[in-house]
Amino acid sequence: MAKAPTKGSSPSTMSEHEAEQVERANADGATPVVFVHGLWLLPSSWDRWADLFEKAGFATLTPGWPDDPETVAEAKEHPEVFAGKSVGDVADHFEVVIKGLERKPAVVGHSFGGLLTQILAGRGLSAVSVAIDPAPSRGVLPLPISALRSASPVLSNPANVHRAVPLTYEQFRYAFANAVSEEEAKDLYQTYAVPASGEPIFQAAAANLNPWTEAKVNSKNPERGPLLIIVGEKDHTVPVSIANASYKRQKRNAGVTEFLMIPDRGHALTIDSGWQEVADNALAFVKRFTKATKRPDSE
């Protein structure tokens, strides 16, 4: 039986693994790229992306949210470790990781990781950012029915704000894997899906009613840096209208702000069989505004 993960980390403390990643990135002198995962996934969901960026000459880091288990099996056995993680908690945790780096990183995030990417950029912490299917922040008004249905496993019970909430396969199929085959959807669910903190969903849902919300982005900061927002055309969780509203708010910034819709893709576009198309677009944008200082892998 797996042992319950120890709650040794906090929003203001790096885990041992994260500290090792920071040390490695600082030692090799390459431009760092920090990947930020969203709800119902773990840092391991970025493994193929990290390998691609490493081969392009970047130093990659895949920090977790505070107390993230290492494996999907551990996460399913001990779902309680996900409970009670707010948007602010996670943003502050990633800020600690980024401030440990000697060079300002690129930041790439998906879903709530896309919202966190924008928050970190708004704090002036990133050299360039890519927000993929970003969860809505305060000021993003569209609320399509598909987004409400995708969030309903959490929002249907107010007590879930303090809980870790898993998705059934049917819920995952609708929210994440609607644009892939049934066979692939089942494989993605078994390989990647874990419980998630309910609190960020409630924070995003109430963001436009709460002036003090943590789900708020400083899109006007001149130190925000270049930003690309990517969305899948068939995304149910973050439909194009939500991503486009985020883009419209962000393009008021003096920095470069771009938008890319990828046809026929759903919310699982970072982990499904077409992940590299998305990763290649993100990598190309990052390379436009940063310089990889170690030699790319020749393989």
Side-chain angles (χ1 to χ4, degrees), residues 2-21:
K3 188 177 179 181
T6 302
K7 283 201 167 193
S9 63
S10 75
S12 59
T13 306
M14 281 188 277
S15 70
E16 182 177 343
H17 179 63
E18 289 163 349
E20 289 172 354
Q21 289 191 333

Side-chain angles (χ1 to χ4, degrees), residues 133 228-235 239-241 243 258-265 269 277 281:
D133 296 339
L228 170 65
I229 292 178
I230 298 177
V231 65
E233 179 190 19
K234 295 183 177 180
D235 194 320
V240 173
S241 60
E258 298 183 6
F259 183 85
L260 175 65
M261 183 187 72
I262 301 187
D264 301 318
R265 303 299 295 280
L269 79 175
E277 177 188 8
N281 279 287

Side-chain angles (χ1 to χ4, degrees), residues 90-171:
V90 184
D92 290 347
H93 181 75
F94 273 82
E95 180 170 346
V96 169
V97 173
I98 290 172
K99 285 186 173 179
L101 295 168
E102 294 173 357
R103 304 183 61 175
K104 188 179 282 191
V107 179
V108 179
H110 171 246
S111 193
F112 265 89
L115 169 58
L116 289 160
T117 293
Q118 294 178 81
I119 291 172
L120 295 167
R123 294 181 183 183
L125 295 170
S126 59
V128 53
S129 304
V130 181
I132 305 163
D133 296 339
S137 61
R138 179 172 171 80
V140 174
L141 300 178
L143 196 59
I145 291 174
S146 71
L148 287 171
R149 180 176 168 185
S150 297
S152 64
V154 176
L155 296 178
S156 60
N157 184 349
N160 284 339
V161 69
H162 302 300
R163 294 174 175 167
V165 183
L167 295 178
T168 65
Y169 167 70
E170 289 74 19
Q171 291 165 343

